[in-house]
Structures are given as C-alpha cells and as structure tokens.
C-alpha cells in the first residue's frame, strides 16, 4: 500500500507539471508573442533567418549584413543593433532553461518517492527524464550555437507538454507493474500488523503524497512566474524591433517576434 500510494503521488506530480502550463508555448491569452523567424547565436555573431532563407547577421564588431552584404549604418544605428543582439543573447536561452527546470521538477518528485522506498524500479522514470534533458539541449544547442525560433517551436515547443506528460505517466505505469509483487507484499504485511485496519496507515501515506504534490506545485509556480517574466521581456524586444524597422528600413521582414504590436 505504501508503495502503491507513493507511486500514485508521482503520477499526480507529473500531472501537476502538465496542468501548470509550463510549456514552450508563449502565444496564449496571457502572452501574445510568437516567433516568425529563426535565430542562431554563436560567440561572434547573431543571425536571423526568414522563411525565404534570407539572412540578417549582426557581428560582435557591430557590423550588420543582409544576405552577406554589408549594410551601411550610422554609429547610432549600429549601437541600436548591437543592443538588440545583446538582449536576444540574454533572454532567448532562458526558454531552454525553463524547459530544463520543468524536467528537474519531475525529478524532485521521483527522488522523494525513490528515497522513501528505495525502489530501483523507478530507474526507468529517471531514464526518461535524462532523455528529455538531452532532447532539450540538442534542440536548442547545435554545433556550438544556440538556435531558436519558429522552426524550433513548430517541431518541439508546441508538443512539449503532451510529450512530457505521456512519457512520464507511461514510465510510472511501468514502474508500478514492475513493483506489483512488493506492493502486494507490503499491503499484506500492513493488514496483518494492523489487524485489517489500514485507515491510519493510508492517511499517513496520503499526507506524504500531498506533501510531494505541494512541493512540486511550489516549484512549478516559480517556473511559471519566470515564463511570465520572459514573455514580458519578449514583448519589450518586439517593441524594440518595431523601432528598429522604423529607423533602419532594411531590417523590415527580419524581426524575430510577431505580436499584436506588429
């Protein structure tokens, strides 16, 4: 019974993550931001690519190129472009960090259950979490560059919640099946020692499961707040892009974000 209830708590914890809307989906009623172009960030340049494969490159020297051709800019325009690139360098990797923190939350619930019961059968869940961690890193970090944008969200972000929940719940169900023998033995032992009265034991286990769920929810709220703040930053960057288009007409069509502002 103890193992059954705590494994059930882990299922609940994975559902808590999913229902807290901690996805890579930023275009919602609360956050009117979506990506319309792709971006690649390396140590020496930032490059935005449109759906038509036209490229806008901002070098660390401040030079700006369109499809390999140098754009003549004033020093003020160069400074504006450099500041824009710096803001993208700071804010965009936070999306990957939020996704990784989400996987880490599930690990918290896993460790709580695993430490309490010393269940090796939960190793399969840990393997799923490790795989998700690797997939997130490989999605955003490729060949020494950070990549993100419309293509990334289309291929990965929109389905992250569903993938996460399905894979975790499948692994939990597998762990429960692997532990069914010891679960039944634990139930029998508790029934014998309590003369058939399991109410007190069940209450203790329910309290433990509730504690795990509350711990996960608390951390989930922190990540949700981070996502909200990041959305605000993206909206600010979108405003900057609107100003850049006005001051640098050549930049039209290369904005990374699409919002109600544009």
């Amino acid at each position: 019974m103890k193992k059954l209830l705590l494994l059930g708590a882990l299922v609940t914890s994975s559902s808590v993550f999913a229902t807290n809307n901690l996805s890579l989906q930023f275009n919602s009623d609360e956050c009117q931001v979506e990506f319309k172009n792709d971006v690649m960030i390396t140590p020496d340049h930032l490059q935005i690519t449109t759906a038509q494969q036209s490229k806008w490159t901002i070098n660390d020297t401040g030079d700006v190129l369109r499809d390999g051709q140098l754009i003549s800019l004033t020093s003020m325009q160069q400074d504006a472009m450099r500041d824009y690139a710096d803001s993208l360098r700071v804010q965009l990797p936070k999306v990957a960090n939020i996704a990784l923190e989400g996987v880490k939350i599930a690990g918290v619930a896993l460790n709580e259950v695993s430490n309490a019961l010393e269940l090796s059968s939960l190793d399969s869940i840990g393997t799923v979490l490790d795989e998700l961690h690797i997939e997130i890193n490989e999605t955003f970090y490729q060949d020494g560059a950070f990549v993100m944008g419309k293509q990334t969200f289309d291929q990965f972000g929109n389905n992250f919640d569903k993938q996460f929940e399905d894979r975790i719940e499948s692994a939990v169900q597998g762990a429960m099946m692997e532990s069914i023998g010891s679960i039944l033995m634990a139930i029998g032992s508790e029934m014998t020692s309590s003369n058939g009265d399991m109410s007190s034991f069940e209450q203790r286990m329910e309290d433990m499961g509730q504690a795990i769920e509350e711990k996960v929810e608390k951390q989930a709220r922190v990540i949700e707040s981070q996502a909200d703040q990041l959305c605000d930053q993206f909206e600010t960057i979108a405003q900057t892009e609107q100003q850049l288009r006005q001051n640098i007409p050549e930049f039209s069509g290369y904005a990374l974000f699409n919002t109600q502002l544009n």
Side-chain angles (χ1 to χ4, degrees):
M1 180 65 70
K2 182 179 181 182
K3 293 183 179 181
L4 182 61
L5 289 172
L6 284 181
L7 283 169
L10 184 56
V11 176
T12 302
S13 299
S14 68
S15 298
V16 167
F17 175 85
T19 56
N20 268 277
N21 196 29
L22 301 179
S23 68
L24 298 180
Q25 181 72 280
F26 284 94
N27 53 323
S28 65
D29 291 340
E30 295 77 20
C31 185
Q32 296 296 324
V33 173
E34 61 182 11
F35 288 84
K36 64 179 181 180
N37 289 318
D38 298 324
V39 64
M40 178 180 68
I41 301 174
T42 71
D44 57 4
H45 73 273
L46 181 148
Q47 187 174 82
I48 296 173
T49 304
T50 68
Q52 293 75 34
Q53 298 304 304
S54 182
K55 302 182 186 300
W56 184 270
T57 305
I58 308 170
N59 291 333
D60 57 355
T61 59
D63 290 336
V64 177
L65 301 90
R66 181 175 60 185
D67 294 330
Q69 299 297 314
L70 185 67
I71 301 294
S72 179
L73 300 176
T74 67
S75 59
M76 185 175 297
Q77 289 172 326
Q78 277 191 321
D79 288 343
M81 270 293 162
R82 188 183 294 110
D83 290 344
Y84 168 66
D86 288 344
S87 66
L88 292 179
R89 287 182 179 275
V90 171
Q91 300 302 332
L92 292 182
K94 292 180 181 179
V95 176
N97 294 340
I98 287 174
L100 291 171
E101 283 297 313
V103 174
K104 185 177 178 179
I105 285 181
V108 170
L110 170 64
N111 289 333
E112 292 283 345
V113 176
S114 181
N115 292 337
L117 302 178
E118 299 181 355
L119 285 179
S120 60
S121 57
L122 293 185
D123 290 347
S124 59
I125 306 176
T127 299
V128 171
L129 296 180
D130 290 341
E131 290 172 351
L132 285 168
H133 192 281
I134 292 171
E135 287 178 20
I136 292 170
N137 274 315
E138 290 181 346
T139 296
F140 292 100
Y141 297 95
Q142 301 175 11
D143 299 324
F146 177 85
V147 295
M148 191 177 169
K150 187 179 188 304
Q151 182 176 358
T152 301
F153 272 58
D154 287 348
Q155 294 180 352
F156 181 81
N158 292 345
N159 298 320
F160 180 73
D161 273 355
K162 182 63 174 173
Q163 292 176 4
F164 181 90
E165 184 178 4
D166 288 350
R167 291 170 70 174
I168 290 297
E169 289 188 358
S170 176
V172 169
Q173 290 171 5
M176 292 179 69
M177 292 302 296
E178 291 176 20
S179 302
I180 191 67
S182 55
I183 290 172
L184 292 174
M185 290 178 63
I187 294 174
S189 176
E190 289 295 331
M191 291 184 67
T192 299
S193 61
S194 62
N195 295 320
D197 182 9
M198 297 287 291
S199 58
S200 177
F201 174 77
E202 289 180 359
Q203 185 60 53
R204 292 199 306 272
M205 292 303 99
E206 287 176 6
D207 291 343
M208 188 179 299
Q210 181 65 29
I212 294 175
E213 184 174 346
E214 289 176 356
K215 186 172 184 178
V216 170
E217 284 183 325
K218 181 178 180 180
Q219 296 189 41
R221 285 194 295 270
V222 171
I223 297 182
E224 187 172 13
S225 175
Q226 293 173 351
D228 290 341
Q229 293 174 20
L230 184 56
C231 179
D232 292 340
Q233 292 296 325
F234 286 170
E235 290 177 345
T236 299
I237 293 174
Q239 292 177 348
T240 299
E241 290 180 329
Q242 189 177 42
Q243 295 170 357
L244 287 172
R245 288 199 305 273
Q246 293 173 353
N247 297 327
I248 307 173
E250 294 91 342
F251 184 63
S252 180
Y254 293 97
L256 186 61
F257 295 110
N258 183 31
T259 74
Q260 290 182 336
L261 294 172
N262 51 14

